Amino acid sequence: MEQELVRRAARGDAEAFDALARDRIDRLFAIAVRILRDHHDAEDAVQQALWTAWTDLPGLRDPERFDAWLYRLLIRGCFRSGRSRRRRLSVVRPLPDADEAGGGTDGPRDVETRDALDRAFALLGTEHRSVVVMHHYLGMPLEEVADVLGVPSGTARSRLHYALRRLRAAIEPVDIEPVVEASR
């Protein structure tokens, strides 16, 4: 069914493409927001990916690869958006209400850890955030992530390793030995 929709859309059937886009737009937006950390930039990246998909779809040789191809278009859009804007770090971020946060069971340490992780994630480059989002959020195997990004498998592994190391460092407490002055 999906492959037939892709074939019809490739032949110019706007309703078929609309059905494909409708089924994927929420997920595309969620991915873009996680990578770009900005709703407006994410909307732009999704819109650009869908526009490119519509115009370039006749050139897609394998309808079974539509989703991977669409993710690649989205990631490229995220890269463009990430390069074209300066990083914006918000100093104050509103915390979700207790109802939204799952009952308000987060203690101060949990909020502190989430904040540290969020700041570390924002400091990662778009390439590293993309790998983390696709591998951990989408559950893609690293070989598929590499294929979507158009990079060697080793590069995807390296980016994931670097990103996770940075994220771990941000949330692990730093053990500092107290300085003891030697007595004279």
Side-chain angles (χ1 to χ4, degrees), residues 76-166:
R76 286 181 186 159
C78 289
F79 285 174
R80 275 191 300 277
S81 182
R83 281 192 300 263
S84 69
R85 288 185 173 251
R86 291 183 184 169
R87 282 192 192 137
R88 294 178 305 237
L89 296 175
S90 60
V91 176
V92 177
R93 291 191 44 199
L95 293 174
D97 292 337
D99 294 335
E100 292 176 30
T105 59
D106 289 346
R109 180 69 184 144
D110 294 332
V111 172
E112 191 177 297
T113 300
R114 253 188 313 162
D115 186 50
L117 184 60
D118 189 52
R119 279 193 252 159
F121 197 69
L123 292 175
L124 294 177
T126 308
E127 294 85 8
H128 294 98
R129 282 195 309 262
S130 299
V131 173
V132 172
V133 168
M134 285 189 288
H135 184 66
H136 289 287
Y137 176 70
L138 292 176
M140 289 178 155
L142 279 172
E143 291 74 25
E144 189 176 344
V145 170
D147 184 45
V148 167
L149 293 175
V151 298
S153 183
T155 301
R157 287 184 199 288
S158 172
R159 287 179 184 175
L160 181 64
H161 173 76
Y162 172 82
L164 294 179
R165 190 176 73 204
R166 283 256 342 239

Side-chain angles (χ1 to χ4, degrees), residues 58-75:
L60 180 65
R61 287 181 257 163
D62 186 2
E64 291 179 16
R65 304 283 302 146
F66 178 75
D67 284 328
W69 177 68
L70 189 57
Y71 288 144
R72 181 177 294 155
L73 295 176
L74 177 66
I75 299 301

Side-chain angles (χ1 to χ4, degrees), residues 26-79:
D26 289 337
R27 182 167 215 142
L28 293 172
F29 182 71
I31 293 166
V33 165
R34 282 171 174 76
I35 293 170
L36 294 170
R37 323 272 308 144
D38 181 89
H39 288 276
H40 297 293
D41 289 346
E43 288 172 352
D44 290 346
V46 170
Q47 183 177 14
Q48 183 61 46
L50 289 173
W51 175 255
T52 303
W54 171 247
T55 58
D56 293 353
L57 189 56
L60 180 65
R61 287 181 257 163
D62 186 2
E64 291 179 16
R65 304 283 302 146
F66 178 75
D67 284 328
W69 177 68
L70 189 57
Y71 288 144
R72 181 177 294 155
L73 295 176
L74 177 66
I75 299 301
R76 286 181 186 159
C78 289
F79 285 174

